Amino acid sequence: MAPIAYVFLPYTLGAWHFVLVGVFQHAGLAQDVLDHRLNTRTCLINPISAFIYWNMHYHVEHHIFPLVPYYNLPELHEILKPQLPKPYGSMWEVYREMIPALIKQCSNPDYYIKRECPSKIDSPESQALSCAPDKHQGWVVACQADEVPHGDMIRFDVGPQTFVLYHAEDDGKFYATSGSCTHGAALLADGLITGNLVECPKHNGCFDFKTGLPKRLPVRKAL
């Protein structure tokens, strides 16, 4: 009896709730856009549902910073609140907007709900080395060799283009790639290095920085 309860009881008690809170996170919103504020919802729900759903109702925040653990999402919500659309106050508010939108999409697939985002907040530019190519040889001096420890990376810009220089831990050689992820255009220098892989900070896709090849979805295009 215990194995049966272990397998079927959680599904019976939790599956309907997962559908209830999960289906409205993206339904009816814009598609194929990089700004998660336009294609994702944050909805304030009761504490019991929030516990069962592991705070995933802070869904915009989760998509923007997927590495933040679920128990820190409420705090992240407070930090990002000035830059996010107004959160929905209840599930009823979401469904009242979502269901008519889905009905409209049956006859007009191009229709979607437009979310209003706050005005852009001025923020300092991320720090990067600015380099100018040699007029005669075309080479760029990015940094001194001792400025990048083994297993680390540094961003450098050449005009409007951004690049990343890596110092491999296994062979001690230096490698360089484009500085922007080919999937979501995030800056790779803000990500993490694990072995010969650089992980994008936006969607956690990985590239081999020695070859530029994609190694983990959602990235598919090489650097």
Side-chain angles (χ1 to χ4, degrees):
M1 190 66 184
I4 296 177
Y6 180 80
V7 172
F8 292 104
L9 190 61
Y11 183 84
T12 303
L13 295 179
W16 66 270
H17 184 272
F18 176 77
V19 174
L20 178 69
V21 295
V23 72
F24 63 67
Q25 302 299 357
H26 304 279
L29 298 176
Q31 300 183 32
D32 297 325
V33 293
L34 294 177
D35 191 338
H36 294 299
R37 300 176 301 172
L38 304 178
N39 61 16
T40 312
R41 290 185 178 91
T42 283
C43 175
L44 305 180
I45 59 179
N46 65 79
I48 296 176
S49 290
F51 173 76
I52 296 173
Y53 198 38
W54 280 25
N55 287 334
M56 285 295 112
H57 58 291
Y58 295 112
H59 217 60
V60 178
E61 297 83 350
H62 166 64
H63 273 277
I64 295 176
F65 293 103
L67 291 179
V68 174
Y70 74 94
Y71 49 81
N72 283 336
L73 286 176
E75 183 179 353
L76 179 63
H77 169 73
E78 294 300 322
I79 295 173
L80 297 181
K81 188 185 292 184
Q83 303 178 59
L84 300 180
K86 181 180 178 296
Y88 293 80
S90 65
M91 287 187 273
W92 167 248
E93 183 182 351
V94 175
Y95 277 97
R96 190 172 58 184
E97 175 191 71
M98 182 188 76
I99 293 176
L102 294 178
I103 293 174
K104 286 184 180 180
Q105 287 180 338
C106 292
S107 57
N108 181 12
D110 294 329
Y111 175 81
Y112 61 90
I113 299 166
K114 297 180 180 179
R115 299 286 281 144
E116 293 186 9
C117 296
S119 301
K120 183 178 179 181
I121 297 177
D122 293 332
S123 59
E125 294 290 332
S126 57
Q127 294 183 352
L129 298 174
S130 182
C131 311
D134 182 271
K135 293 182 179 180
H136 303 290
Q137 301 295 330
W139 289 93
V140 170
V141 178
C143 64
Q144 299 297 320
D146 57 1
E147 291 184 59
V148 189
H150 285 78
D152 206 350
M153 58 183 166
I154 191 171
R155 172 186 166 190
F156 67 97
D157 294 346
V158 181
Q161 295 180 301
T162 184
F163 301 90
V164 180
L165 182 69
Y166 311 86
H167 196 172
E169 197 163 20
D170 56 355
D171 60 15
K173 295 181 179 180
F174 288 89
Y175 299 85
T177 71
S178 169
S180 299
C181 177
T182 58
H183 174 256
L187 293 174
L188 294 177
D190 294 334
L192 299 173
I193 287 183
T194 304
N196 294 331
L197 299 180
V198 56
E199 181 179 290
C200 175
K202 192 169 187 178
H203 298 116
N204 309 117
C206 284
F207 300 91
D208 185 328
F209 62 73
K210 290 187 177 182
T211 63
L213 295 176
K215 290 297 182 179
R216 186 169 73 195
L217 296 174
V219 296
R220 297 177 182 272
K221 184 179 178 181
L223 294 170

